[in-house]
Each structure stands twice: as C-alpha cells, then as structure tokens.
Amino acid sequence: MLQTLSDMNLSAIPRNYELVYEAHSGNNPELARALAKFDGNPTQADLDHLGETALEGHNRFSMVRSAQKKMSSQLESVLGLLRREQQSLGAYGSILEKAQDQIGALAATDSNLLRAMVSTLSEATDETMDKGKAIADSVTAHSIEIEDVRQELETYKRIANTDKLTRLANRRAFDEIMADLFAMPGRTADATLILIDIDHFKHLNDSYGHPVGDRVLSILASVMRNQTPHGCVLARTGGEEFAIVTNGLDEEASDALAESVRRAVETTPLQNRKTGTNYGPVTVSLGVCAGTLARDAEDLYRKCDATLYAAKAEGRNRVRRYRHVPHGASGGARTMYR
C-alpha cells in the first residue's frame, strides 16, 4: 500500500492511506474512478475533498479522532486532580508529623498547648477533607464524561466497521478480525474461514442495472445472516464477495454451515412483485479453510480464496474445502493483503 501511495505521488498520511485502501478494496468503485481521474498529481486539498464526498466513513473517522481528543483531555484533567489530591495529602501528612513531634515534647499539664494543637489538627483535617470531597466530586464528573466519550467512540467504530448497503461487517472489520485470529497462539484451533462469491453477478448487474444488483446483495446478505450462527462473523469483503469467520466450529461443522448458506441462497426467490421480473435463481460458490492450516491471516485468506477459485472452476454453485483441492489446482487465487 505504501508503494501504491508513492506511485500515485500521495503523501503517506493516514487519511490518504484510507482513501487508497478503500479504492482498492472493491467496496467503492466510484472512489476508485474518481481517484484515477487525478492522473497521479492531486493536491492534498483535492484528496481531502474527495474523502469528504466519496469515502464512506471518512467523516466518521474525523468524529472518532475528535472523540479521542476529548477523552484524552478528560483523562488529563482527572490526572491533574489526582496530582493535586496527592499534594494535599502530602501537606496534611507533614502537619501530622510536626504535631506528633510537638505533642511528644509537651508536658502532660500543658493543656493550653494541647488544646491549640488539637484545634490546628482539626482545622487541617477539615480543610483536607473538603478538598478531597471537591476533588472526588470532580473526578466523578469527569468519569461520567469519559464514559460518554467511550460510548461515543464505540458507536463511531461500529458505524465505521459496517457496510452501508448490507449492514454487515465491512472489509475493515474483517481485516481486524483476521488479524486478531492470529494475535495469540491457539486462537485458530476452532476457527475457520469461509469465502463466498455470488456467481455471475456482473451479468445480473449488466442485465438489470446496479439498483437491482444492490437490492439482490441486500437480500442475499440477509439470507446469509440468518444462516450464520451466533458467535460467527459475516462480512462483506468486496462487491459481491462475503466471508464468514467461524468461532467454535470445527472444519466439518464449518463445511456444513457453508452448504446451508449455499442452499439458502439458491432457493431464495428474487422476483419484482410489481413487474413480475424474475432475477433468479442466483447461486454462490464457497471455499472453506481451517485456521489451523495457515501460518497467518494472509496465508489463511490465500488458501481459502484458492479453494473458492477451484469451486468456481468446477462449475460454481458448490462448496469446496481446502483439504480436498488438489495442490496447484487453483493458481488463480487473489491475494488480499498486498
């Protein structure tokens, strides 16, 4: 991706990286076309304007950054209050030490001096407690504000990780899940990747138009969501491409899940009630690969994508498992992370 930024003469800053990432992911063809029109020499102002108008989630990420700054400010305020509390307690401790020394030096009959010392300690205690209560109240108020900002950040993140059309997890969320899968040893033991591609979707788009294609995507996303068990994640990873990352399912169970998705899609009626036009049947091809068969996220995606490619090469509308695909039979597989 950094090489792509360099080739396009773009500064390697996060918002430009985001633009190129979304343009090359396949989720936003309009953005890809708009970026290509700059002919390799856009200004930063041009890029920022493009991001604001064409990039889904761009403004949301600005909101996230703003919320993060707010949280940082609140945390700094809390730390300042705690520092002042520490100073107050330190001063009070010094008073106690001096009082102890003085009391130890007093004669038992010197009641006036004892009374004065008690009064001094009482005033110091009251003052310290008042300060402590004020600081505690202020910390509580800041904590409430921090919690509000935290919830705001969670909302923005959820929106930014959601595909606008299908309401599924998007490519960004899928990448995060795949990375987390290999972040700790043993996480892949009961995890499997299922890649799904709608067969001949370009023909459907060309024949009936993109609005119909978008409607079909939305319907099939709902069908696949209904088949996906709780704890597994269904994401839209490209134009007509989807993925399920299973959790707690072995390879056999994941294969059965893939087959249930295939059957559900194949039997879904796709007819315009007003015009009577039948857009179906629409089918999908699926590849399945266990997480334990891969070294990392890219290797898992590559192997699963190779399996999906084999399913398409064998006639489409079928499920194939990586273990059952002959070595080298799917050399046309794409690579996601490069």
Side-chain angles (χ1 to χ4, degrees), residues 113-267:
L113 288 176
L114 282 174
R115 193 177 299 111
M117 186 59 62
V118 170
S119 176
T120 300
L121 288 174
S122 177
E123 290 178 5
T125 300
D126 290 343
E127 181 182 355
T128 300
M129 290 183 67
D130 288 341
K131 288 182 179 179
K133 184 178 183 303
I135 289 175
D137 290 343
S138 187
V139 168
T140 299
H142 282 293
S143 297
I144 293 172
E145 292 181 26
I146 289 171
E147 176 60 20
D148 290 341
V149 175
R150 187 193 66 78
Q151 293 182 6
E152 188 179 354
L153 278 170
E154 288 297 319
T155 299
Y156 291 149
K157 182 178 179 181
R158 185 170 60 253
I159 293 172
N161 284 351
T162 301
D163 178 63
K164 185 177 181 180
L165 175 64
T166 63
R167 312 312 301 168
L168 301 178
N170 62 13
R171 173 71 170 273
R172 183 182 294 106
F174 173 73
D175 282 352
E176 292 177 359
I177 293 167
M178 289 284 283
D180 289 344
L181 199 59
F182 289 87
M184 295 177 61
R187 288 283 298 276
T188 59
D190 291 320
T192 302
L193 176 61
I194 302 172
L195 292 183
I196 308 162
D197 190 87
I198 301 177
D199 298 326
H200 302 298
F201 187 73
K202 184 178 184 302
H203 175 72
L204 187 148
N205 259 343
D206 292 343
S207 299
Y208 302 107
H210 287 279
V212 170
D214 287 349
R215 178 60 181 157
V216 169
L217 284 171
S218 181
I219 292 172
L220 295 188
S222 180
V223 170
M224 289 186 278
R225 183 191 292 112
N226 290 337
Q227 297 297 317
T228 304
H230 179 73
C232 301
V233 179
L234 171 65
R236 183 187 179 197
T237 58
E240 67 271 23
E241 299 170 356
F242 299 83
I244 299 175
V245 181
T246 72
N247 180 30
L249 300 181
D250 60 19
E251 193 173 2
E252 292 290 339
S254 297
D255 188 67
L257 169 60
E259 179 59 26
S260 70
V261 169
R262 187 199 66 79
R263 287 197 304 269
V265 171
E266 183 182 34
T267 57

Side-chain angles (χ1 to χ4, degrees), residues 87-116:
Q87 291 170 358
S88 296
L89 291 176
Y92 183 53
S94 297
I95 292 174
L96 289 178
E97 289 177 4
K98 291 178 181 178
Q100 184 177 4
D101 294 340
Q102 292 174 2
I103 289 173
L106 291 175
T109 57
D110 201 342
S111 59
N112 289 332
L113 288 176
L114 282 174
R115 193 177 299 111

Side-chain angles (χ1 to χ4, degrees), residues 1 6 72-74 85 108 176 182 187 226 236 247 271:
M1 193 64 70
S6 176
S72 176
S73 175
Q74 295 296 333
E85 173 72 351
E176 292 177 359
F182 289 87
R187 288 283 298 276
N226 290 337
R236 183 187 179 197
N247 180 30
Q271 188 172 13

